[in-house]
Amino acid sequence: MENIDRTPPALEIEDLFVEFRGRNSTVYAVNGLNLKIEKGQTLGLVGETGAGKTTTGLAVLGLIASPPGVVTQGNIRLGGRDILKSLEGEERERLGTLWGKKKYRHVYGSRFCVSEGELQKMRGEKVSMIFQDPMTSLNPVITVEKQIAEVIEKHSKISHADAIGKARDMLETVGIPRNRGSEYPHQFSGGMKQRVVIAIALACSPDLLIADEPTTALDVTIQAQVLDMMKKLKEKNHTSMLMITHDLGIVAEICDCVSVIYAGRIVEHGTLEDVFDHTLHPYTKGLFDSLPDLENRDTRLKPIRGLMPDPSIRYEGCPFADRCDYASDICRKEPPREVHRTDEHVVACHLYNEDNIAEGGAL
Amino acid sequence: MARYIIKRILYLIPVLIGVTLLVFFIMHLAPGNAAQIILGENATPDQIAALEKEMGLDQPVIVQYLRYLGGLLHGNLGNSYATGTSVTTEIMARFPYTVRLTFVAAVFSIILALPLGIIAAVRQNTWVDSASMVFSLIGVSMPIFWLALMLILVFSLKLGWFPVYGADSWKSIILPAVSLGFMNMASIARTTRSSMVETIRQDYIRTAYSKGLNEREVIMKHAFPNGMLPTITVIGLEIGQMLGGSVLTETVFAWPGVGRLLIQSINGRDTPTVMGCIILMTISFALVNLIVDLLYGVFDPRVRTMYR
């Protein structure tokens, strides 16, 4: 415990709210999300499409497109340093209305504690992100090695030639022959492009790596290779990682902890063992039931019925209530509060209270 | 690459045959008679018939055309009906003026249009965007001869900064180039804006920001080279058009370019000169387009592999 107290977590997000304000409707993408990644650990952020996973990742980098995106509330700390802070009381009323003015461009109700310049210095060096689609994430008119060298040049004072050399080293690290660096992205296959994207993200050995579905666009054989490579690089550089995915298999393979996200908030969080073996939330259970069982292939898959709730409506109760087999009246009226099973394992569901949580047998 | 260029130049041959055929027959169908115009209103029918025979105008039109084509193959564009001098000499005396005007107008419009379009795209939906787009909308919709007259009125007659017409000094090119370039500026700026708006929404722009680059670096290094392609196309089309002679501008400013020569020779039913101007237009348009296509390859490595 003492050890954890001394080193601050790599990433802490508290009570984050992000919405996208369109002309006719507002989409509430993230609604009071909390998460924490200890130094050197990998946290899996698991959820369906549209649950707010990518938005959370972009919020950490301060890259939510604005307009239409606005952070209405929330604190973000990177390695113990405040990046984004909620405005309180009088300040909130005064500055909260400044949305649209350049200084507070991304935020409304929260503001960056660091300047735009410091944010730029952070991006790529302290935090970097692997984007979901390798096909579109690379600039088609710039050679691959230049795209990697760019981030190195930006964050360290070395000559262009040295940066290109380092970029080629990076290419080799991710398993691409160094002489192919002078080629353009269209000359690469999908898996190789994803490796390049990973090389860019890791080029400056960031403290925190946000991997947004890094293998979704790849076929299964390449998936395993890429995951394996990421794991090795992460261990080598002692990088903490936020692994955004909808694939529980990837979580089992690479993550230390799991947060399950639904409709923009965390419904269950715990270590791998907690979540896989002591599943508490009906939604998490639904996710596991949607996976095929290799040992008993005759059983039918049990997909979660229904769809994600409309993100442009704010819910009073639990957003999962309409799809939940265990829902009762209270689920539709009151938002569930968090109940701890252990220090780490926590669930937000009306099925549980401090008395019955230890049994964990509600499902 | 060389093969590609040769191929493109060979494609020009059928185009030229088509264009000359079309123009030749249209000139033939148009009312009015070259011999009549040369001899003046008082000429007798006998005189006109004699001159027509001498010029070969009494032959069937298809024979006239084939004769013309035969001359063309020897590089002979014929002699002007109006002046009797060779069409090649006539055009070559005018073409440098048109090239000069085109160059200055193009430089003027590009220097103005690119920053305007880029800023409008980057500051999309702000007053900067609206202002620059209204400015270029004015450019697109304003009749060029009206703008030219207004420029003359203000800068030549009232202020006396520039000559009213002619091509005597470097000063005299300013007003024609501005009025010609202003219209082109407008369409180049609008194209640049829309393609840049498209480009800055791409995923790789987000990647560039995530590397820690600032806005200027992202726009200039990542967005601009990608957003350039449609702009190059429009610039190419405008330059191609201007090289063929800008009829209105050249007429208003009495600029001795190809556009004015063309209008004069159409009025005089001077078929050889008209044909010469049209051929020049076609070739310069095609060549500029070829250059544009080659520039595509410079900017976009994906296109480069296609030039085989």
Side-chain angles (χ1 to χ4, degrees):
Chain A
M1 284 309 264
E2 229 180 36
N3 200 8
I4 291 170
D5 283 346
R6 257 190 282 123
T7 41
L11 172 68
E12 270 179 293
I13 301 178
E14 284 167 3
D15 216 17
L16 183 71
F17 286 79
V18 183
E19 40 187 80
F20 293 94
R21 297 181 176 176
R23 205 159 283 179
N24 302 315
S25 70
T26 299
V27 169
Y28 302 96
V30 178
N31 304 293
L33 179 133
N34 294 298
L35 63 78
K36 191 157 97 177
I37 304 174
E38 298 296 347
K39 212 167 163 31
Q41 298 234 299
T42 300
L43 175 76
L45 186 60
V46 188
E48 282 169 85
T49 304
K53 303 182 300 261
T54 304
T55 308
T56 307
L58 289 173
V60 176
L61 285 168
L63 278 182
I64 290 175
S66 167
V70 268
V71 178
T72 50
Q73 197 181 317
N75 302 328
I76 295 177
R77 271 190 297 278
L78 265 177
R81 186 180 181 197
D82 284 317
I83 301 298
L84 187 80
K85 234 181 163 173
S86 272
L87 302 173
E88 300 293 344
E90 184 264 342
E91 196 188 22
R92 183 175 183 86
E93 267 163 38
R94 189 162 49 85
L95 293 177
T97 52
L98 279 176
W99 179 58
K101 297 253 168 103
K102 199 183 170 220
K103 201 168 169 199
Y104 301 101
R105 209 141 54 92
H106 303 83
V107 284
Y108 174 89
S110 274
R111 83 169 151 177
F112 286 105
C113 309
V114 289
S115 69
E116 188 67 26
E118 285 172 292
L119 258 182
Q120 281 160 11
K121 220 181 268 171
M122 248 174 47
R123 290 180 195 139
E125 193 183 17
K126 298 263 181 282
V127 208
S128 58
M129 188 153 173
I130 298 171
F131 293 100
Q132 188 166 1
D133 188 354
M135 302 301 166
T136 56
S137 294
L138 293 173
N139 193 325
V141 306
I142 302 179
T143 60
V144 165
E145 61 190 10
K146 273 192 189 149
Q147 296 195 50
I148 304 173
E150 196 173 38
V151 64
I152 302 172
E153 270 175 281
K154 186 75 195 177
H155 297 293
S156 49
K157 289 192 179 94
I158 59 173
S159 70
H160 182 67
D162 288 348
I164 292 284
K166 277 199 166 184
R168 291 187 180 152
D169 293 344
M170 266 328 279
L171 277 177
E172 254 173 7
T173 318
V174 298
I176 296 172
R178 58 192 300 131
N179 59 2
R180 295 204 59 184
S182 54
E183 292 181 14
Y184 290 91
H186 73 277
Q187 290 162 293
F188 281 35
S189 70
M192 287 168 83
K193 277 186 213 170
Q194 188 61 294
R195 285 159 190 265
V196 174
V197 173
I198 293 171
I200 292 174
L202 291 174
C204 292
S205 324
D207 301 336
L208 175 67
L209 177 65
I210 301 170
D212 185 6
E213 311 223 11
T215 58
T216 306
L218 308 177
D219 54 61
V220 188
T221 44
I222 311 289
Q223 249 185 40
Q225 286 178 22
V226 168
L227 276 182
D228 201 41
M229 186 191 79
M230 285 178 65
K231 213 169 164 178
K232 278 193 195 125
L233 291 174
K234 185 192 101 87
E235 274 155 22
K236 197 177 114 200
N237 299 331
H238 309 291
T239 308
S240 317
M241 186 152 91
L242 176 62
M243 176 61 120
I244 297 172
T245 181
H246 58 251
D247 187 337
L248 287 163
I250 291 176
V251 172
E253 194 170 322
I254 204 169
C255 298
D256 304 302
C257 295
V258 195
S259 288
V260 180
I261 183 173
Y262 187 79
R265 72 202 83 183
I266 303 296
V267 294
E268 182 166 2
H269 167 84
T271 62
L272 263 194
E273 197 197 330
D274 291 337
V275 175
F276 277 67
D277 297 341
H278 304 278
T279 311
L280 291 176
H281 200 281
Y283 178 63
T284 318
K285 181 171 175 284
L287 287 181
F288 282 118
D289 287 344
S290 319
L291 292 176
D293 184 352
L294 284 179
E295 276 148 37
N296 189 0
R297 293 175 56 168
D298 293 335
T299 52
R300 294 184 73 92
L301 290 180
K302 281 186 284 177
I304 306 171
R305 64 190 159 87
L307 292 169
M308 282 275 268
D310 183 349
S312 60
I313 300 167
R314 279 215 214 232
Y315 288 85
E316 279 180 27
C318 172
F320 188 59
D322 285 341
R323 304 171 73 184
C324 181
D325 293 331
Y326 305 88
S328 55
D329 284 347
I330 190 168
C331 297
R332 297 196 170 79
K333 281 183 201 139
E334 272 179 42
R337 61 192 180 86
E338 292 185 349
V339 185
H340 281 266
R341 189 180 75 89
T342 63
D343 275 345
E344 187 77 30
H345 195 186
V346 58
V347 66
C349 179
H350 283 299
L351 287 176
Y352 301 97
N353 54 46
E354 275 73 9
D355 300 327
N356 72 3
I357 185 99
E359 296 139 38
L363 300 181
Chain B
M1 188 75 151
R3 258 189 74 186
Y4 177 79
I5 296 174
I6 292 168
K7 204 166 72 183
R8 284 287 299 266
I9 290 174
L10 289 180
Y11 281 151
L12 197 55
I13 295 172
V15 174
L16 275 178
I17 291 176
V19 166
T20 48
L21 193 69
L22 209 67
V23 175
F24 201 89
F25 279 88
I26 289 174
M27 284 302 288
H28 182 77
L29 290 174
N33 180 320
Q36 164 106 58
I37 290 169
I38 293 169
L39 292 172
E41 277 180 26
N42 298 327
T44 61
D46 284 348
Q47 285 174 309
I48 293 173
L51 186 61
E52 275 187 347
K53 197 172 163 86
E54 193 192 315
M55 290 164 71
L57 292 179
D58 57 336
Q59 306 274 331
V61 64
I62 189 75
V63 176
Q64 291 182 40
Y65 176 70
L66 288 177
R67 245 191 220 168
Y68 180 79
L69 219 52
L72 201 60
L73 284 179
H74 293 97
N76 181 6
L77 288 171
N79 291 333
S80 161
Y81 291 167
T83 58
T85 49
S86 111
V87 170
T88 319
T89 325
E90 289 257 335
I91 288 179
M92 277 311 143
R94 307 288 196 110
F95 194 51
Y97 285 97
T98 293
V99 171
R100 211 179 300 164
L101 181 60
T102 301
F103 180 76
V104 179
V107 168
F108 168 77
S109 59
I110 293 169
I111 284 179
L112 225 64
L114 290 188
L116 210 62
I118 293 173
I119 291 169
V122 174
R123 298 274 170 263
Q124 200 195 347
N125 299 331
T126 63
W127 68 269
V128 186
D129 183 19
S130 318
S132 59
M133 282 307 105
V134 166
F135 185 59
S136 67
L137 185 68
I138 293 172
V140 176
S141 35
M142 188 155 34
I144 193 167
F145 57 86
W146 186 82
L147 174 66
L149 289 175
M150 287 303 115
L151 287 175
I152 292 177
L153 193 69
V154 175
F155 293 102
S156 303
L157 298 181
K158 284 262 188 302
L159 297 171
W161 291 355
F162 303 106
V164 177
Y165 60 84
D168 307 323
S169 70
W170 64 269
K171 270 185 182 174
S172 40
I173 203 170
I174 303 289
L175 290 188
V178 166
S179 58
L180 192 58
F182 194 69
M183 191 180 61
N184 292 328
M185 179 276 295
S187 48
I188 296 171
R190 295 186 80 82
T191 315
T192 306
R193 177 186 178 273
S194 57
S195 92
M196 285 295 283
V197 162
E198 178 88 3
T199 310
I200 54 183
R201 290 206 189 111
Q202 298 294 320
D203 284 352
Y204 54 77
I205 297 302
R206 198 175 57 185
T207 310
Y209 276 114
S210 82
K211 290 179 186 174
L213 303 185
N214 60 39
E215 190 177 30
R216 190 179 49 79
E217 289 169 320
V218 173
I219 298 299
M220 294 321 290
K221 283 192 198 160
H222 288 265
F224 185 61
N226 278 286
M228 260 313 270
L229 294 184
T231 307
I232 293 177
T233 314
V234 174
I235 292 175
L237 287 175
E238 308 276 356
I239 290 179
Q241 233 161 40
M242 289 193 288
L243 275 182
S246 356
V247 174
L248 285 172
T249 314
E250 290 185 1
T251 308
V252 174
F253 289 99
W255 186 260
V258 181
R260 213 153 68 97
L261 178 66
L262 178 64
I263 281 297
Q264 285 166 351
S265 49
I266 289 175
N267 287 338
R269 297 289 173 270
D270 186 352
T271 310
T273 313
V274 173
M275 298 292 290
C277 292
I278 298 285
I279 289 170
L280 176 75
M281 272 186 190
T282 314
I283 292 176
S284 47
F285 204 85
L287 286 185
V288 170
N289 266 315
L290 175 60
I291 292 171
V292 165
D293 284 353
L294 295 178
L295 276 180
Y296 260 54
V298 173
F299 278 88
D300 192 337
R302 287 166 298 184
V303 178
R304 219 172 294 158
T305 48
M306 282 157 45
Y307 292 150
R308 294 273 154 76

